Amino acid sequence: MTYMPQVAAKVAEWPDLAVELDRWEEAGKVARFWWRDDDAAMPNPQLDRLLAVADGAPLALAVIPADVKDALAAALRWQPQVAVLHHGWCHANRAASGKKSEYPPERHPVEVADELDEGRKRLRTLFGSRAHPVFVPPWNRFSERFVPLLTEAGFVAVSQMAPRKTAPPRGIAAIDVHLDIVAWHADRGFIGEAAALGGLVVALRARREAGDGGAVGLLTHHLVLDAPSEAFLARFGALVDAHAAARWAGIGELIA
């Protein structure tokens, strides 16, 4: 996988995104987008709204194994476009100090291995083949020393936040997201159209100029999804559906 260097953030408008996609079309390429939503455990009105906004687009739902309810599997039974990813174990902060992490380097490897195995077993039992071997660490942090444990547990990919400050981990694919639409350090609402569109344009341009056909990842959190976020997602989805040089990609395609 190509390592993408960090690119300075910017703001943009809808015509800027359309122009960037036009450039993909002129180059004979199609930009792929994928959608990850975090912190799922049970069916609720927020998840219903997310599925309504997605309107059939492939959605990778990062599910918390320790908290997941059987009712979630039942609720997704008639949603074949929804895939399930492995979101930590219980989404708890285990770091002794510093930034939050469920998998800081000071944790014991045996404990981590047990959580990975038990989580995979629970998600496969509930969701069957739609539970993909992709690990999504809470807060996008996972100590490098535990990467071998991922492969031992059967994971083939890890999904964190791009751009990475270091190269992707060895021995496992990186299927990252590039735009988180939540303003976590402000009011936990929508970051705004200008910032969201800017992030998409920057990620697309970087891939086009590098000749990288990897998908650009969109990250949402249905539990804090607000009306401006929903409006943006609906308009963005309509643009992807309408533009000849844009399409959605499911997680199964990205793994392959």
Side-chain angles (χ1 to χ4, degrees):
M1 175 172 289
T2 303
Y3 169 57
M4 301 299 296
Q6 292 200 48
V7 180
K10 58 167 287 186
V11 295
E13 299 179 353
W14 288 104
D16 298 316
L17 178 57
V19 167
E20 177 58 34
L21 290 173
D22 290 343
R23 289 175 178 168
W24 279 72
E25 186 175 13
E26 292 165 2
K29 299 178 179 180
V30 175
R32 297 184 300 164
F33 298 94
W34 80 286
W35 188 342
R36 192 185 100 200
D37 183 88
D38 286 2
D39 302 344
M42 64 186 73
N44 51 47
Q46 296 97 318
L47 183 58
D48 290 341
R49 288 200 299 272
L50 176 77
L51 294 172
V53 172
D55 193 25
L59 180 67
L61 200 60
V63 175
I64 304 170
D67 296 340
V68 64
K69 308 301 181 187
D70 293 2
L72 181 61
L76 297 179
R77 187 169 300 157
W78 309 113
Q79 301 285 345
Q81 80 283 7
V82 179
V84 170
L85 309 185
H86 188 131
H87 197 26
W89 168 243
C90 61
H91 209 300
N93 181 25
R94 305 299 190 194
S97 61
K99 294 182 177 179
K100 291 181 178 180
S101 174
E102 191 166 9
Y103 297 95
E106 62 265 24
R107 288 196 65 186
H108 198 288
V110 172
E111 183 182 38
V112 172
D114 287 345
E115 288 183 2
L116 296 175
D117 289 338
E118 183 61 27
R120 279 289 291 149
K121 178 181 178 181
R122 177 148 180 72
L123 293 183
R124 283 198 302 262
T125 297
L126 283 177
F127 301 100
S129 61
R130 76 164 68 194
H132 291 268
V134 178
F135 189 75
V136 180
W139 299 287
N140 292 293
R141 300 186 183 101
F142 189 78
S143 175
E144 185 78 16
R145 72 184 293 237
F146 300 135
V147 170
L149 300 181
L150 291 176
T151 56
E152 290 174 9
F155 291 95
V156 300
V158 62
S159 181
Q160 293 171 270
M161 197 74 204
R164 291 173 175 266
K165 296 180 180 179
T166 60
R170 295 181 182 179
I172 192 164
I175 305 176
D176 293 334
V177 290
H178 301 78
L179 174 68
D180 185 343
I181 68 169
V182 179
W184 293 107
H185 299 297
D187 59 356
R188 293 162 62 96
F190 181 43
I191 60 173
E193 278 192 354
L197 292 168
L200 289 171
V201 170
V202 166
L204 284 169
R205 182 185 301 133
R207 269 167 159 56
R208 176 174 55 81
E209 293 178 347
D212 185 338
V216 171
L218 176 71
L219 176 61
T220 59
H221 292 73
H222 62 279
L223 294 177
V224 296
L225 198 66
D226 58 13
S229 299
E230 292 178 11
F232 170 80
L233 293 168
R235 186 169 178 180
F236 176 64
L239 176 60
V240 172
D241 291 341
H243 203 288
R247 70 175 180 87
W248 291 107
I251 191 67
E253 174 186 335
L254 303 185
I255 293 173

